[in-house]
Amino acid sequence: GRITATFGGTTKTPTLDVWGAFAKPRFESGLRAESVVVAAAGALAPELDLRGTLRVAALAAKERALGNVVASFEGGRSMRINRFQQSAGDTTLTMRGVLAFDEAGVTARVDSLRLVAGALRVNAREPARVTLVRGRLRASPLVFDLEPGRLDADLDWDISGGRLDARGSLSGLDLA
């Protein structure tokens, strides 16, 4: 990969402009991609405050293709995701929310979420809490309008172990 960074500002208010491109990265969580490009710029102090974009081509978890990702973000130790879009074939996932980083991993509040998969349309009815710690993704509560119907669920995905545990209930579906 390649990273280019320019530092500016003063010693009291330093700034950063960074761009990075990585070919075929593999992550500890089991995720991999064909390429990742990230760009960010903003203040390093007195508070970290960056704005940036992320592009991931051919994202995959083990052998499962997850498509391409485009995102924009702003913030510091708490990062607002203004736009996240993941597309694979006829499936597109879009969402917005807030990420918080600490030594253990990442915690997110997903404020809005929409999934379009062929004729299926799914919209989140309320914010969800998502954590990613040591290769394990957990999400709850997941409350979705299914057009028609409703799904209430929670999810526990051990990405590196290849195990998915999900519980939920469906209501308002016309099975005829």
Side-chain angles (χ1 to χ4, degrees):
R2 179 181 173 153
I3 297 175
T4 304
T6 304
F7 295 91
T10 66
T11 55
K12 289 186 179 184
T13 58
T15 61
L16 172 68
D17 188 344
V18 64
W19 176 88
F22 309 91
K24 300 191 185 301
R26 295 186 179 277
F27 302 96
E28 190 175 301
S29 65
L31 294 174
R32 61 182 168 78
E34 188 63 29
S35 67
V36 174
V37 176
V38 63
L44 294 175
E47 295 281 329
L48 182 63
D49 185 18
L50 301 173
R51 286 178 170 62
T53 59
L54 170 72
R55 293 187 178 274
V56 180
L59 180 64
K62 299 230 177 188
E63 301 308 315
R64 178 153 180 78
L66 300 174
N68 300 318
V69 174
V70 177
S72 64
F73 56 88
E74 62 184 66
R77 288 194 59 82
S78 177
M79 190 71 63
R80 172 158 285 292
I81 307 302
N82 298 318
R83 175 178 180 239
F84 176 95
Q85 182 174 13
Q86 179 182 355
S87 299
D90 70 347
T91 302
T92 301
L93 172 68
T94 57
M95 62 182 151
R96 288 189 323 258
V98 177
L99 298 174
F101 304 93
D102 63 29
E103 293 76 28
V106 180
T107 300
R109 186 188 73 236
V110 180
D111 295 322
S112 71
L113 181 142
R114 178 168 174 82
L115 173 68
V116 176
L120 176 68
R121 306 285 186 263
V122 177
N123 292 295
R125 292 187 75 166
E126 62 184 61
R129 183 172 186 270
V130 180
T131 59
L132 179 59
V133 177
R134 291 183 282 288
R136 179 172 235 120
L137 183 119
R138 291 186 171 116
S140 69
L142 302 172
V143 182
F144 300 111
D145 280 326
L146 301 178
E147 298 178 18
R150 176 179 163 141
L151 169 65
D152 292 80
D154 60 18
L155 173 80
D156 185 348
W157 180 20
D158 181 355
I159 298 168
S160 53
R163 180 184 165 125
L164 176 67
D165 180 24
R167 288 175 225 79
S169 65
L170 289 167
S171 61
L173 292 178
D174 183 5
L175 300 176

